[in-house]
Amino acid sequence: MLVEIRGAADTYSALVGSGLLGQLGESAHKYLPRKTCAIISDSNVAPLFADRVKRSLTSAGFQPTLITIPAGEKSKTFKQAGAICDQMIVAGLDRQSFVIGLGGGVIGDISGFVAAIYHRGIPHVQIPTTLLAMVDSSIGGKTGVNAAAGKNLIGAVHHPSLVIDDVDVLRTLPRREFNQGFAEIIKHAIIADAAMFGTLQSWKASDAPIRLSLRIGFALQSLIRRNIEIKSKIVAKDERDRTGERAILNFGHTVGHGIERAGDYQEFLHSEAVSLGIVAACAISIKKVGLPCDQRDAIVDLLRRFDLPTQLPRDFPREKIFEALPYDKKFESGNIRFVVTPRIGSAHLSSDVTLDDIREAVASL
Ligand SMILES: NC(=O)c1ccc[n+]([C@@H]2O[C@H](COP(=O)([O-])OP(=O)(O)OC[C@H]3O[C@@H](n4cnc5c(N)ncnc54)[C@H](O)[C@@H]3O)[C@@H](O)[C@H]2O)c1
Ligand SMILES: [Zn+2]
């Protein structure tokens, strides 16, 4: 499946399918008539897939250099990006080279940032290997690294030249990582696609090991494609996050970020915290914009089906969630811009949500 992504200035393609890693050389030839490239990957992903990627590139005439960094969010730093650039210089990569990011969102973000700054910008190919990276972080052009003061504070907008989503790589993804991708998929359904919400509801609980079934494998490809379309359409309206249209992608993220931080980034994975943030955003949407209670119940039910959390543990330090909120970029100039949904399939920003509304929603989590 081919998805054409049209932005204000850039147009690129996302290929979604099975067996795509083996055909990478051919695809890269078509989209990037260059010779040398860096494959940036992490210590979990490189042993699984880097050989396949390298072989395919080499047999198509490319000269790839593999650069592996330790797996995990701690690697997403300016220092690590600098070290990668140094290795690329030593390997003789230049303005005519390109960068491939082979991994989850961490690798997508840091490799994209390296591509944005190396020789003032060279092409980037995203090969996401987590579901979250396929449906979310590989699309939209946001690249960057974390600073001591917060996540994603240093970065650049640098769209990829090509995105390759090979669903076969998802077979080795730990179950918890796989499920967290569904929090972002359910978010997309709530903000923009009631029909996709219905499709997800129709997947029976017995389909849970979906990544292993061929039939569902195809359904998963269609789902990934649909999510790429949803995110890229929203991004195209507001690439630089200026008009507020892109901000609806942050549905569930205001409280989600607070929970992530309050749990010291240990207790919940990012999208698990977002799942809880979605439940809080639903409570606020009921109060402020009349989201019907049965729609909130359907959302909670769907999140649970993917083993996503919808209630905070009793002893969770709830107060800490609010300490984190002022750092959130949605609190710009003291006005809370909170994303609400009046009904599944639609969302908008509201400046009518107060800190007390958020407190009430968190108290009921
Ligand atoms: N740029 C954006 O628009 C955007 C959007 C959302 C999230 N993000 C960023 O994405 C990051 C989170 O991404 P993530 O959840 O993919 O995390 P991740 O890249 O850390 O991957 C999660 C874990 O799974 C492992 N892994 C990856 N693919 C695997 C596979 N196929 N088989 C086995 N193990 C595999 C990784 O090594 C890692 O340990 C965060 O840094 C977040 O800020 C960026
Ligand atoms: Zn998210």
Side-chain angles (χ1 to χ4, degrees):
M1 293 183 202
L2 175 74
V3 192
E4 282 283 324
I5 298 164
R6 285 175 207 288
D10 308 77
T11 296
Y12 55 98
S13 298
L15 307 178
V16 184
S18 166
L20 297 180
L21 287 194
Q23 301 157 24
L24 174 65
E26 283 166 49
S27 315
H29 242 311
K30 187 164 160 211
Y31 292 94
L32 288 156
R34 295 171 171 235
K35 239 187 153 53
T36 51
C37 63
I39 304 165
I40 301 174
S41 192
D42 76 25
S43 50
N44 291 334
V45 176
L48 295 169
F49 310 118
D51 265 356
R52 214 182 305 170
V53 166
K54 260 173 112 172
R55 238 181 293 126
S56 178
L57 287 166
T58 310
S59 60
F62 289 100
Q63 291 164 10
T65 300
L66 176 65
I67 298 174
T68 304
I69 64 172
E73 189 72 33
K74 285 210 172 85
S75 282
K76 218 177 95 175
T77 63
F78 202 68
K79 197 170 165 203
Q80 185 64 259
I84 293 171
C85 290
D86 285 340
Q87 288 184 65
M88 287 170 60
I89 292 166
V90 171
L93 301 182
D94 59 19
R95 241 181 21 228
Q96 296 308 318
S97 309
F98 62 99
V99 172
I100 296 176
L102 173 69
V106 166
I107 286 296
D109 280 9
I110 193 169
S111 64
F113 182 59
V114 165
I117 59 176
Y118 196 72
H119 282 271
R120 299 186 190 83
I122 59 175
H124 183 219
V125 176
Q126 291 263 21
I127 308 186
T129 62
T130 63
L131 184 59
L132 178 138
M134 288 183 184
V135 298
D136 191 351
S137 59
S138 63
I139 305 298
K142 282 193 182 172
T143 75
V145 292
N146 303 326
K151 277 188 69 174
N152 301 322
L153 292 180
I154 301 162
V157 174
H158 188 65
H159 289 283
S161 300
L162 177 64
V163 182
I164 295 187
D165 291 345
D166 184 340
V167 291
D168 300 343
V169 304
L170 298 175
R171 287 172 201 273
T172 54
L173 192 63
R175 180 69 176 255
R176 195 174 160 196
E177 297 286 352
F178 185 72
N179 283 341
Q180 74 155 334
F182 277 94
E184 307 290 351
I185 290 172
I186 293 168
K187 174 196 78 179
H188 284 157
I190 298 169
I191 63 174
D193 193 339
M196 184 168 81
F197 192 90
T199 304
L200 290 167
Q201 282 181 306
S202 73
W203 288 16
K204 291 187 222 68
S206 57
D207 289 336
I210 32 188
R211 57 195 150 142
L212 300 175
S213 142
L214 267 183
R215 186 177 65 82
I216 302 289
F218 188 71
L220 190 61
Q221 290 178 32
S222 306
L223 189 70
I224 292 167
R225 179 201 164 117
R226 182 69 199 123
N227 278 273
I228 292 172
E229 285 167 351
I230 292 170
K231 178 159 183 189
S232 59
K233 269 202 187 118
I234 294 171
V235 169
K237 288 189 211 158
D238 178 21
E239 279 197 345
R240 302 246 157 201
D241 232 341
R242 286 189 181 132
T243 65
E245 281 173 284
R246 185 172 183 155
I248 68 164
L249 289 164
N250 285 327
F251 181 72
H253 281 62
T254 304
V255 172
H257 284 152
I259 291 173
E260 226 184 332
R261 216 179 145 102
D264 287 330
Y265 298 98
Q266 305 284 328
E267 190 153 352
F268 295 107
L269 296 176
H270 165 75
S271 303
E272 290 174 342
V274 167
S275 170
L276 289 155
I278 288 174
V279 178
C282 285
I284 291 168
S285 300
I286 289 173
K287 186 171 164 190
K288 294 286 174 182
V289 290
L291 173 72
C293 289
D294 61 338
Q295 294 204 6
R296 185 264 323 267
D297 295 346
I299 291 168
V300 169
D301 179 60
L302 195 53
L303 291 166
R304 284 194 184 139
R305 281 208 225 172
F306 293 96
D307 289 333
L308 290 160
T310 55
Q311 274 180 314
L312 277 173
R314 223 176 243 268
D315 57 352
F316 191 83
R318 285 181 164 70
E319 261 320 295
K320 272 186 155 183
I321 297 174
F322 301 96
E323 286 168 26
L325 287 188
Y327 293 97
D328 197 282
K329 52 181 181 287
K330 288 168 288 302
F331 283 72
E332 275 159 20
S333 55
N335 291 323
I336 305 175
R337 294 157 75 233
F338 196 93
V339 189
V340 287
T341 175
R343 61 176 187 284
I344 292 170
S346 140
H348 59 84
L349 273 178
S350 165
S351 50
D352 187 30
V353 175
T354 65
L355 209 51
D356 281 342
D357 294 324
I358 300 178
R359 275 183 197 285
E360 200 180 297
V362 166
S364 66
L365 268 181

